[in-house]
Amino acid sequence: MKKSLIFGTAGHIDHGKSSLVLALTGKDPDRLKAEKEKGITIELGFAGMETEQANISFVDVPGHEGLIKTMIAGSVGFDSVLFCVDSREGVRQQTIEHYNIIRTIGVRYCVVALTKTDIASPEQIQSAENGVRKLFAACAIKISDIVHTNINDQKSIEKLREAIGRCSTKIHQKIQKRCYVVRADRVFSIKGSGTVVTGTSLFGQVAPDTLLFNIRNMKAARIKAIQVHDKTVKKSVAGERTAINLPDFSIDDVNRGDILSDNKNIISTRGIFANITVFEGLHEKVSLRHNKTYSIYIGALSCEGKLLFYDNKKLAAGERANCFIRLDRPVIPYFDEPLIIRSASPQMSIAGGRVLGIEETFPDRKFAGEILNYLSVHDYDNALKKAVEIFHCGIKLPEPIQFSGLIRNELAMKLAQLNIANFQGFILDSRNLETFVENTIQSLNKKGVLAISKIQHTCEQLPDPVRFDIINRIIERAQKQDYIFDGQTLKKREKDPFEELAISVLNQMKSDPLMSNSTLLSEKMNIPVNQVQKCLHYLCNRSLAKNIEGNNHVTMELLNSFIEKASFECKKNGHVDLTAMKNHFGLPRKLLVPLMEQLDKTGLFVNKDNKRMLKIK
């Protein structure tokens, strides 16, 4: 099965982005009348094509400075970029701004198209190519190919198509094992079908009849049909431009920018943690300042956000830092989601970053700095260890998609490997849990009594599953130390004097197996015979001893050892007899004979001429 990838367009206004997509796909992404009249892209345009290597969806974004926020919205989910530069004009203002945005969203490979080469001089073409190479020289994005294009020259379009195919082989498809997530970028109604939502499938996969939740308002609707590249399909996977028919939704139930998912436990937040980098190469001298408010763009949403740095008061061009952003409206971000920061005056994109988490994760954001350092480099082991170290009473993790790049099973395995207790997403260091239990047991041993209500009060801030686990551990540990639990209180069990006597008889039999009847035990221990008989009866009822014949008794420990040794001899020699067992145990015949007969009663052996052999199964 071919992988599905999203290629976005990027570049200055009127540098030929939409024309190239039309030439490649046969579909005009300039879909609105206003776009046709003005000759520019105002909204996002979509088209698709198939190469030998992949199914490609194009998202054509506007290059006009005033519509840059639409470009930011469209860049959500880009796997690669068709970076367009007019051969005559070269790199321009919005070229640089688009370049900064695609660096932020994590694109690793791109194809550069030098457009309109039919009306440019060789010197202009070379200058434009040099400018592009210089722009990309200092960043992690690799230029897969630079193609000279002319929409009237089919050979150049075919070369571009081949370059996109080659680039697609270098790109990994998005994760399909996570919950399904799509961020809506269009919502409209079709007569006879109802509401249709389009967007890029960011994670997971989805099929008709799946129940999707709009996380913003928690309204739900079942999928009636799905289209990809204008074709009805049985499922949509991460990396595809998708149209979803949701007739249970009214057109007002979904807004642009809404997250739709089959996981209703994803939450909205007014505070996010992020790793931010100030862009380089801008004409104006720009910086980010601590405790100052900027315009924040996440997906198709824009809001105002106050930046609160941990160690910095100011970030200059090229500098990077972790921060907390207090937002003026709720957003629904996922981990590693790109965001763009724009200044009001002048209006321009000045920084980009990635979401590291949501405010609700950590009880006190002031102490989250060290954890963010690890999350920013995807070091989840140390991030989790530091989290339970700092917040020793535990934290409630959000859904994995809002905390890390791990799927649920990977996160659960990692927590187990790190010895971090996991109670339905609430995590704490198992060592802290064990220390609390041990300290409670020590207190119990000193006082001899403990009310469970006291434990419940001490742990009242913990979720029910954690509190119940702690109480059960304490009760289980206490019972092993001979405490009893009456439903409300743990207290030391008072030993029955007779039970103590019976245990002393058992210990005598263990130390000397010849002490096998009440008479011998009575003489040895100076206890009345009738008392010894009662003790032996008590021990037999509790499967601690066994009456093997008449008044002869042995401990169950000895009997089990006798059976185990007989099995071993049979496997080794084919049979076992009285002599072999006497050599091993050194017991008199009056005990060995009834013990050999006990072998017959197990059902494991057959007696043939006083030789026991294992039954053949």
Side-chain angles (χ1 to χ4, degrees):
M1 181 178 176
K2 288 184 180 179
K3 56 186 172 183
S4 298
L5 301 174
I6 303 290
F7 272 67
T9 64
H12 193 76
I13 181 176
D14 202 29
H15 274 205
K17 298 184 295 295
S18 300
S19 298
L20 273 184
V21 173
L22 173 60
L24 286 165
T25 67
K27 183 175 181 179
D28 190 352
D30 285 344
R31 59 189 180 84
L32 301 179
K33 182 179 179 182
E35 294 174 346
K36 294 290 188 183
E37 292 174 350
K38 294 182 179 180
I40 64 171
T41 302
I42 297 174
E43 284 288 348
L44 302 174
F46 307 100
M49 76 173 191
E50 184 175 350
T51 69
E52 291 182 5
Q53 299 85 359
N55 294 315
I56 307 294
S57 295
F58 287 102
V59 179
D60 186 33
V61 300
H64 190 273
E65 192 278 334
L67 299 170
I68 198 73
K69 66 180 182 181
T70 308
M71 190 274 169
I72 296 169
S75 68
V76 173
F78 281 7
D79 295 298
S80 184
V81 167
L82 177 58
F83 201 85
C84 302
V85 178
D86 189 317
S87 298
R88 300 166 302 168
E89 297 184 0
V91 174
R92 299 288 300 278
Q93 180 63 37
Q94 271 66 61
T95 311
I96 296 173
E97 190 156 14
H98 280 208
Y99 160 79
N100 282 325
I101 291 171
I102 66 171
R103 286 179 66 187
T104 299
I105 64 177
V107 168
R108 292 290 174 262
Y109 298 94
C110 74
V111 175
V112 173
L114 296 180
T115 62
K116 308 178 185 181
T117 55
D118 55 323
I119 52 176
S121 68
E123 292 77 17
Q124 288 175 317
I125 295 172
Q126 189 60 53
S127 175
E129 182 170 336
N130 292 341
V132 170
R133 292 191 183 278
K134 182 179 179 180
L135 181 65
F136 280 84
C139 79
I141 303 175
K142 305 297 182 184
I143 298 176
S144 179
D145 277 292
I146 296 180
V147 184
H148 298 186
T149 64
N150 165 13
I151 60 172
N152 298 313
D153 179 7
Q154 192 57 40
K155 288 184 179 180
S156 72
I157 299 302
E158 192 55 39
K159 286 182 180 179
L160 181 59
R161 189 191 309 276
E162 292 171 357
I164 292 170
R166 286 192 296 272
C167 182
S168 68
T169 63
K170 304 173 183 178
I171 302 167
H172 296 294
Q173 186 159 9
K174 293 183 176 70
I175 300 173
Q176 296 181 15
K177 293 181 180 179
R178 308 190 84 165
C179 59
Y180 180 75
V181 173
V182 60
R183 194 184 285 280
D185 51 41
R186 285 191 203 160
V187 185
F188 53 91
S189 182
I190 296 178
K191 189 174 181 179
S193 296
T195 300
V196 175
V197 176
T198 69
T200 298
S201 294
L202 299 172
F203 303 103
Q205 53 185 304
V206 73
D209 205 39
T210 301
L211 190 66
L212 288 187
F213 298 89
N214 184 345
I215 303 302
R216 175 178 58 84
N217 55 26
M218 288 314 297
K219 291 185 177 181
R222 202 165 292 280
I223 298 175
K224 183 179 180 181
I226 300 172
Q227 284 197 350
V228 175
H229 293 177
D230 298 324
K231 295 179 181 179
T232 300
V233 294
K234 293 182 179 180
K235 69 176 181 178
S236 171
V237 300
E240 292 181 334
R241 285 293 310 168
T242 308
I244 305 174
N245 184 201
L246 296 161
D248 295 340
F249 277 151
S250 73
I251 198 168
D252 298 322
D253 287 335
V254 185
N255 296 335
R256 182 176 181 175
D258 282 349
I259 285 281
L260 304 185
S261 177
D262 55 3
N263 182 353
K264 65 180 180 180
N265 295 318
I266 296 171
I267 63 172
S268 63
T269 184
R270 284 181 176 267
I272 59 174
F273 299 97
N275 180 262
I276 302 296
T277 303
V278 179
F279 294 146
E280 296 178 289
L282 304 177
H283 294 306
E284 291 81 2
K285 188 176 181 180
V286 296
S287 65
L288 286 179
R289 296 182 180 275
H290 173 73
N291 208 30
K292 185 176 178 181
T293 299
Y294 297 88
S295 294
I296 310 295
Y297 292 83
I298 302 179
L301 298 174
S302 62
C303 54
E304 298 298 302
K306 180 180 288 188
L307 269 60
L308 301 170
F309 291 111
Y310 281 89
D311 303 312
N312 306 73
K313 295 297 181 182
K314 176 182 175 182
L315 280 189
E319 292 183 334
R320 173 181 296 184
N322 296 327
C323 68
F324 176 77
I325 306 177
R326 170 64 63 200
L327 304 170
D328 69 345
R329 57 176 292 192
V331 298
I332 307 166
Y334 55 86
F335 180 82
D336 235 14
E337 182 169 13
L339 60 91
I340 300 295
I341 300 175
R342 285 175 63 81
S343 62
S345 180
Q347 287 193 356
M348 63 187 303
S349 301
I350 58 174
R354 306 190 79 78
V355 174
L356 299 180
I358 58 177
E359 178 181 17
E360 288 75 8
T361 304
F362 306 117
D364 190 335
R365 61 178 173 79
K366 295 177 184 177
F367 299 104
E370 290 183 82
I371 304 169
L372 299 180
N373 290 338
Y374 291 121
L375 287 174
S376 66
V377 293
H378 297 177
D379 184 350
Y380 303 123
D381 284 29
N382 281 314
L384 289 165
K385 287 192 288 188
K386 183 59 68 173
V388 294
E389 175 189 324
I390 294 173
F391 303 106
H392 61 273
C393 290
I395 59 173
K396 180 72 171 81
L397 293 181
E399 285 300 291
I401 199 169
Q402 292 187 295
F403 174 75
S404 70
L406 302 171
I407 62 175
R408 191 178 304 278
N409 290 344
E410 290 173 338
L411 180 57
M413 289 177 61
K414 194 166 287 294
L415 290 169
Q417 291 166 357
L418 296 173
N419 198 28
I420 296 175
N422 180 13
F423 299 90
Q424 300 172 23
F426 185 92
I427 65 169
L428 72 165
D429 193 327
S430 295
R431 293 171 298 181
N432 294 342
L433 196 64
E434 182 58 31
T435 298
F436 179 82
V437 172
E438 189 58 38
N439 289 342
T440 304
I441 292 296
Q442 290 178 9
S443 175
L444 173 61
N445 288 333
K446 288 179 181 179
K447 298 178 179 179
V449 64
L450 176 66
I452 293 301
S453 59
K454 184 176 181 180
I455 305 174
Q456 292 173 329
H457 177 73
T458 305
C459 304
E460 64 181 353
Q461 299 300 321
L462 297 175
D464 287 346
V466 186
R467 196 163 60 249
F468 294 155
D469 182 83
I470 289 173
I471 291 172
N472 287 334
R473 289 190 190 203
I474 292 171
I475 292 173
E476 183 180 336
R477 192 79 54 85
Q479 287 175 334
K480 289 181 179 179
Q481 297 185 19
D482 222 18
Y483 287 86
I484 59 172
F485 178 56
D486 63 6
Q488 296 180 331
T489 307
L490 279 167
K491 55 187 177 181
K492 198 72 174 178
R493 184 162 67 95
E494 296 180 2
K495 285 189 176 180
D496 183 346
F498 177 75
E499 180 185 353
E500 291 187 7
L501 181 61
I503 295 301
S504 68
V505 170
L506 178 66
N507 290 334
Q508 182 62 49
M509 295 171 68
K510 287 181 177 179
S511 63
D512 184 359
L514 297 180
M515 296 289 109
S516 59
N517 60 57
S518 56
T519 302
L520 293 173
L521 287 164
S522 174
E523 293 175 356
K524 181 72 175 179
M525 301 180 70
N526 196 25
I527 302 171
V529 171
N530 64 334
Q531 284 287 86
V532 175
Q533 289 173 342
K534 288 180 180 179
C535 288
L536 290 171
H537 182 71
Y538 176 90
L539 294 172
C540 289
N541 285 341
R542 285 156 180 76
S543 299
L544 296 172
K546 177 78 172 177
N547 184 350
I548 56 174
E549 183 185 58
N551 193 27
N552 285 326
H553 295 75
V554 294
T555 67
M556 285 302 297
E557 184 180 283
L558 175 60
L559 179 58
N560 290 333
S561 177
F562 195 88
I563 295 170
E564 183 179 345
K565 181 60 178 177
S567 298
F568 175 79
E569 289 292 328
C570 286
K571 291 175 182 176
K572 180 181 177 182
N573 302 315
H575 69 277
V576 66
D577 56 20
L578 195 71
T579 302
M581 298 305 282
K582 179 177 176 62
N583 291 337
H584 183 74
F585 287 94
L587 295 173
R589 185 178 179 84
K590 70 174 184 177
L591 291 180
L592 282 171
V593 171
L595 280 171
M596 294 294 285
E597 291 173 352
Q598 289 295 318
L599 295 180
D600 303 334
K601 295 177 180 180
T602 65
L604 300 175
F605 301 85
V606 292
N607 183 358
K608 194 170 185 180
D609 298 329
N610 289 325
K611 292 181 180 180
R612 270 69 178 186
M613 292 168 281
L614 286 173
K615 285 185 177 179
I616 300 175
K617 295 183 178 180

